[in-house]
Amino acid sequence: MTASPKTGTTGGPSELLAKADIDAILESRHWDPFAVLGLHAAGGGYVARCFLPGAAEVTAETLSGKEIGELTQVDPAGIFAGEVSVKKLQPIRYRARNVGGEWVVIDPYSFGPVLGPMDDYYIREGSHLRLFDKLGAHPMTLDGIEGFHFAVWAPNAKRVSIVGNFNNWDGRLNAMRLRRDTGIWEIFLPGITIGHAYKYEIVGINGEVLPLKADPFARRSELRPANASMTTGPIDQTWEDAAHLAHWAAADARRQPISIYEVHAGSWQKNDNGDFLTWDELASRLIPYCVDMGFTHIEFLPITEYPFDPSWGYQTTGLYSPTARFGEPEGFARFVNGCHKVGIGVILDWVPAHFPTDAHGLRHFDGTALYEHEDPRQGFHPDWNTAIYNFGRAEVLAYLINNALYWAEKFHLDGLRVDAVASMLYLDYSRKHGEWVPNEYGGNENLEAVRFLQSMNSHVYAAHPGILTIAEESTSWPKVSAPVHDGGLGFGFKWNMGFMHDTLQYLSREPVHRKFHHNDMTFGLIYAFTENFVLPLSHDEVVHGKGSLIAKMAGDDWQKFANLRAYYGFMWGYPGKKLLFMGQEFAQWQEWSEARALDWNLLEYPLHEGMRRLVRDLNGTYRRKAALHARDCEGDGFEWLIADDRENSVFAWLRKAPGEKPIAVVTNFTPVYRENYGVPLPVEGRWREILNTDAEIYGGSGKGNGGAVQAKKTANGRIAATITLPPLATLMLELDA
């Protein structure tokens, strides 16, 4: 006879496991399987219980293979129990048999918890900064046994099971242990290896079985349309970027040349059969291209796992997982390492503002509004039909802050461009009266989102001083790029959306009308140094019927190219870091689509190849000449020379930096060729023409100043140079001293 687990007395098989427990296990509604299954002390001895569907006989063994007892079948569905001969609680295994053969299963319910009380403490406090090493699926060796530890936050669930191709997606088999203080469920599954698909089967608070959920902390995912998470190991990468990281950690990024090439990895180029390039294939093509073009950084549209190609990655369901579209996570690590070896930084377009409502994602994760607000006035985004993170919940903030730290640490990313910051800052963003909930003071500021952004920036910069965080923020919210201790949001930089809007509006007008809109080009200098700005000509400007940049320009084809060349010269000479979306460097005519590769064949035509050469030379000039970048974010690096020549639509200014030769930037935004045009300059002498967007090599008319102009004192005692202004062109002149 065997000891009863309930009373400690001896009895028959029915006393080895209560009928209610048996039914609950078989009906997938047992809320605490660790209290029943596994090895337990009972009546002065020990009882083992297991659920092994298909088994006819089961023998319990130690991990070394020593028999410790034959178990009795207490239910023909595969539930076994019996007294075992052990002296202490320890991991055990089962040798199961049926007519088809024999197999061995190590009992996951005989292992203790992996997470500890300090994890609980920091998780409850919301200050755990290593969640990406604790939650999700991680390979580990426990009591000498290799397997995977799974952990997931689902505080309102009645049961959580790990299901996958290793257990036939049967939620009855691997139900998890609840850590009641934190609402985290965990289990160690022996024998699980890298490459298994898995999800969480969650029973909600009312006993309903939810749609299977992908792991919020999954570090690898299946290729769409499949959407399970994948077991994977630590990033296997030998990093060779110490010099690159050390440079940026020691540098003041505001005073460094930063020229960003914005890329959609799925459509920059494609294979001949139309498939995506792998990370290794991208590395072999994109990195040399950016080196040749002189860009300092590559910024990828979101590459965190997402289900729908036309979302471009902005509706992510796997914030910790590089999308499977381009291969395994190690491929992305190799790409970043390759960039760093040649001095190129990598920036990730990061989306902490909202998430999609796909059934396998975060929405109502445990049957309740867990990651999002319950109230749709706070938790649903009307523009994108997405859910908004609940920034007032400590666990949600920890999830997002840990994600920022994860990408910086595990993939050595150089920066995060944070998407849709304006939608986070304002409670009434894109909402009508009565459709939003005021903050505690009655205002429209989302104070919880502000605290999140400040905390995220503080933690990221503290842990990774060389990183860049860049806000896509389109309003006049103050101090976006000011330090948190000074009342700012703590970003390193902010996109200058006003520059983009005003200048493109100006250039869409026929030159004859531009004199009436002169301040479109001068207004930006009123606020140019209120933030650390990046000047963006991004993907947003070449989609949804907006046309490409070349198509936006006014005039016939020649004028369109001349306008765009002049505009690029104007922008690269303007204070602020630079960002250009792929394809615009060679003046792609078509509006961008994620479904097709860029029109690289256009480089066979001189005007398009000329545009590419111009952008390459602008990058080179910008990087070589400290006067053009070292004071991008400071007013003492800029001085107007000509701000009010409306009639001729001419602009001129001086870029300067301490100890550097100044550079004059002069732009003529009309197709009129002007000779003997006077430009005031600060110093007498020879000023070399270091760049002319009208040069023949760029597809221009070849008008210019023979390589230099002479600045002299005029009759009124001022210093000026008489120069030739090519039509629709920008000149850069450097003092030749």
Side-chain angles (χ1 to χ4, degrees):
M1 302 295 286
T2 54
S4 166
K6 299 296 183 184
T7 65
T9 62
T10 59
S14 63
E15 292 182 309
L16 294 171
L17 193 59
K19 178 70 161 58
D21 286 326
I22 294 173
D23 290 343
I25 291 171
L26 295 179
E27 295 169 13
S28 193
R29 55 178 175 80
H30 205 296
W31 315 140
D32 190 8
F34 275 87
V36 177
L37 299 176
L39 185 63
H40 293 269
Y46 293 90
V47 172
R49 311 184 192 99
C50 61
F51 179 30
L52 297 175
E57 299 175 347
V58 173
T59 302
E61 301 177 344
T62 65
L63 293 182
S64 63
K66 177 184 176 182
E67 288 190 14
I68 55 176
E70 290 291 332
L71 303 190
T72 300
Q73 187 182 75
V74 297
D75 190 279
I79 297 180
F80 293 79
E83 189 177 71
V84 294
S85 178
V86 294
K87 295 182 178 180
K88 63 178 181 178
L89 294 175
Q90 63 189 52
I92 61 174
R93 72 186 197 182
Y94 306 111
R95 187 173 299 278
R97 296 173 293 278
N98 62 20
V99 294
E102 180 179 276
W103 69 98
V104 173
V105 178
I106 299 175
D107 186 356
Y109 294 101
S110 64
F111 290 85
V114 171
L115 301 178
M118 292 309 296
D119 290 312
D120 292 341
Y121 175 81
Y122 288 118
I123 288 169
R124 288 191 65 185
E125 190 179 62
S127 61
H128 204 308
L129 299 180
R130 306 294 307 177
L131 285 179
F132 46 81
D133 287 334
K134 301 291 185 176
L135 300 186
H138 295 274
M140 66 179 302
T141 301
L142 190 61
D143 291 317
I145 300 299
E146 294 183 352
F148 263 78
H149 176 249
F150 298 86
V152 65
W153 179 53
N156 302 305
K158 297 192 80 171
R159 174 182 62 76
V160 179
S161 296
I162 187 76
V163 296
N165 54 13
F166 44 82
N167 63 10
N168 293 317
W169 302 91
D170 189 340
R172 301 173 302 169
L173 299 181
N174 296 134
M176 304 171 77
R177 171 191 281 117
L178 173 63
R179 303 183 68 84
R180 297 187 184 280
D181 287 347
T182 58
I184 288 175
W185 301 73
E186 67 166 333
I187 194 171
F188 172 71
L189 293 187
I192 301 299
T193 56
I194 291 171
H196 284 289
Y198 72 96
K199 286 185 178 181
Y200 295 109
E201 181 181 280
I202 299 175
V203 176
I205 195 168
N206 297 316
E208 73 280 14
V209 179
L210 304 177
L212 297 183
K213 294 290 187 178
D215 190 343
F217 279 86
R219 295 171 294 116
R220 186 175 179 182
S221 303
E222 285 187 306
L223 176 63
R224 57 95 179 93
N227 53 38
S229 304
M230 299 286 290
T231 57
T232 190
I235 298 299
D236 183 14
Q237 173 61 44
T238 301
W239 291 98
E240 304 165 282
D241 59 353
H244 174 87
L245 297 180
H247 165 78
W248 284 100
D252 180 348
R254 299 172 306 158
R255 294 179 172 179
Q256 294 292 307
I258 296 177
S259 182
I260 303 166
Y261 189 49
E262 189 187 32
V263 173
H264 178 259
S267 61
W268 181 73
Q269 287 183 3
K270 290 180 180 287
N271 281 321
D272 292 342
N273 62 3
D275 288 346
F276 296 124
L277 300 179
T278 66
W279 285 118
D280 292 328
E281 290 169 332
L282 269 167
S284 68
R285 304 183 192 187
L286 180 56
I287 295 175
Y289 181 75
C290 287
V291 169
D292 178 62
M293 289 296 295
F295 289 103
T296 64
H297 292 74
I298 298 169
E299 179 180 308
F300 283 112
L301 271 61
I303 60 158
T304 49
E305 192 57 75
Y306 57 101
F308 187 49
D309 287 2
S311 81
W312 314 330
Y314 286 98
Q315 297 206 7
T316 181
T317 52
L319 210 53
Y320 285 78
S321 176
T323 176
R325 288 166 173 81
F326 315 117
E328 76 286 355
E330 283 77 10
F332 182 56
R334 289 192 296 273
F335 182 93
V336 175
N337 187 61
C339 285
H340 287 181
K341 288 170 67 175
V342 294
I344 293 176
V346 180
I347 299 169
L348 173 64
D349 203 335
W350 189 53
V351 190
H354 61 115
F355 58 89
T357 57
D358 296 68
H360 70 281
L362 296 181
R363 182 177 182 270
H364 280 199
F365 188 79
D366 64 357
T368 68
L370 191 61
Y371 286 87
E372 71 273 38
H373 284 276
E374 180 68 43
D375 189 335
R377 296 175 299 170
Q378 298 171 286
F380 183 75
H381 203 295
D383 285 354
W384 305 312
N385 293 322
T386 52
I388 300 171
Y389 286 105
N390 184 349
F391 300 112
R393 191 160 196 167
E395 296 92 341
V396 175
L397 263 63
Y399 171 74
L400 294 170
I401 291 170
N402 269 266
N403 187 251
L405 294 169
Y406 169 79
W407 287 101
E409 177 181 321
K410 302 297 187 182
F411 289 96
H412 290 205
L413 284 189
D414 301 86
L416 297 171
R417 178 267 191 185
V418 183
D419 179 62
V421 171
S423 76
M424 301 166 68
L425 292 175
Y426 296 96
L427 295 165
D428 61 345
Y429 184 89
S430 201
R431 297 179 188 273
K432 300 175 183 177
H433 180 71
E435 295 179 347
W436 58 282
V437 179
N439 64 31
E440 58 194 283
Y441 303 108
N444 68 340
E445 302 88 357
N446 190 334
L447 303 180
E448 295 170 345
V450 169
R451 286 190 285 269
F452 157 63
L453 293 171
Q454 291 176 326
S455 181
M456 181 275 296
N457 280 314
S458 296
H459 284 300
V460 169
Y461 274 105
H464 305 279
I467 203 167
L468 310 174
T469 63
I470 306 168
E472 186 216 11
E473 204 286 312
S474 55
T475 74
S476 57
W477 188 282
K479 295 187 172 183
V480 171
S481 57
V484 172
H485 63 76
D486 192 33
L489 295 182
F491 285 95
F493 294 92
K494 171 182 172 174
W495 270 21
N496 190 337
M497 310 291 276
F499 169 87
M500 173 274 299
H501 176 270
D502 292 347
T503 55
L504 287 178
Q505 179 175 266
Y506 177 89
L507 288 160
S508 69
R509 304 181 190 278
E510 293 294 336
V512 69
H513 300 304
R514 289 176 178 171
K515 61 184 177 182
F516 303 112
H517 304 278
H518 195 75
N519 65 331
D520 281 350
M521 306 300 271
T522 58
F523 177 72
L525 271 303
I526 294 175
Y527 61 85
F529 308 106
T530 59
E531 301 276 2
N532 303 325
F533 279 122
V534 173
L535 311 179
L537 293 178
S538 76
H539 66 280
D540 280 331
E541 306 317 309
V542 294
V543 292
H544 298 319
K546 296 179 182 177
S548 63
L549 292 185
I550 186 68
K552 293 177 190 290
M553 300 295 110
D556 58 23
D557 281 1
W558 186 93
Q559 288 196 7
K560 286 181 182 295
F561 277 91
N563 267 306
L564 188 57
R565 290 193 301 267
Y567 182 35
Y568 285 163
F570 180 95
M571 174 174 162
W572 261 253
Y574 194 94
K577 309 310 179 187
K578 325 301 176 190
L579 180 142
L580 186 64
F581 185 58
M582 64 180 199
Q584 309 314 303
E585 76 276 17
F586 59 81
Q588 172 159 314
W589 280 107
Q590 283 196 98
E591 182 176 273
W592 171 63
S593 168
E594 83 287 340
R596 60 175 181 263
L598 299 180
D599 296 327
W600 293 100
N601 61 300
L602 292 177
L603 290 174
E604 299 173 11
Y605 300 93
L607 286 174
H608 293 278
E609 170 60 14
M611 192 72 71
R612 187 198 66 80
R613 288 185 176 187
L614 172 64
V615 173
R616 181 190 62 185
D617 290 354
L618 284 169
N619 277 334
T621 303
Y622 171 70
R623 294 178 66 169
R624 288 192 306 273
K625 305 297 184 181
L628 291 174
H629 66 252
R631 291 297 185 268
D632 264 334
C633 305
E634 299 162 73
D636 61 1
F638 178 90
E639 179 185 337
W640 275 116
L641 298 175
I642 300 172
D644 56 359
D645 188 0
R646 295 174 177 270
E647 286 301 317
N648 295 311
S649 297
V650 172
F651 306 85
W653 60 76
L654 205 65
R655 296 300 309 278
K656 48 192 178 176
E660 302 292 334
K661 294 184 287 186
I663 293 176
V665 181
V666 187
T667 300
N668 173 18
F669 274 129
T670 70
V672 178
Y673 172 63
R674 303 184 190 281
E675 295 182 299
N676 301 318
Y677 186 90
V679 176
L681 291 169
V683 179
E684 287 185 276
R686 186 174 184 267
W687 289 69
R688 289 189 304 114
E689 190 177 82
I690 60 172
L691 191 134
N692 179 351
T693 67
D694 191 51
E696 290 182 353
I697 194 173
Y698 305 138
S701 64
K703 302 293 191 297
N705 293 276
V709 300
Q710 196 72 27
K712 303 175 182 178
K713 274 192 177 180
T714 62
N716 60 11
R718 296 178 180 177
I719 301 172
T722 300
I723 71 175
T724 294
L725 292 184
L728 293 172
T730 294
L731 306 177
M732 291 186 182
L733 308 170
E734 182 183 55
L735 179 64
D736 190 11

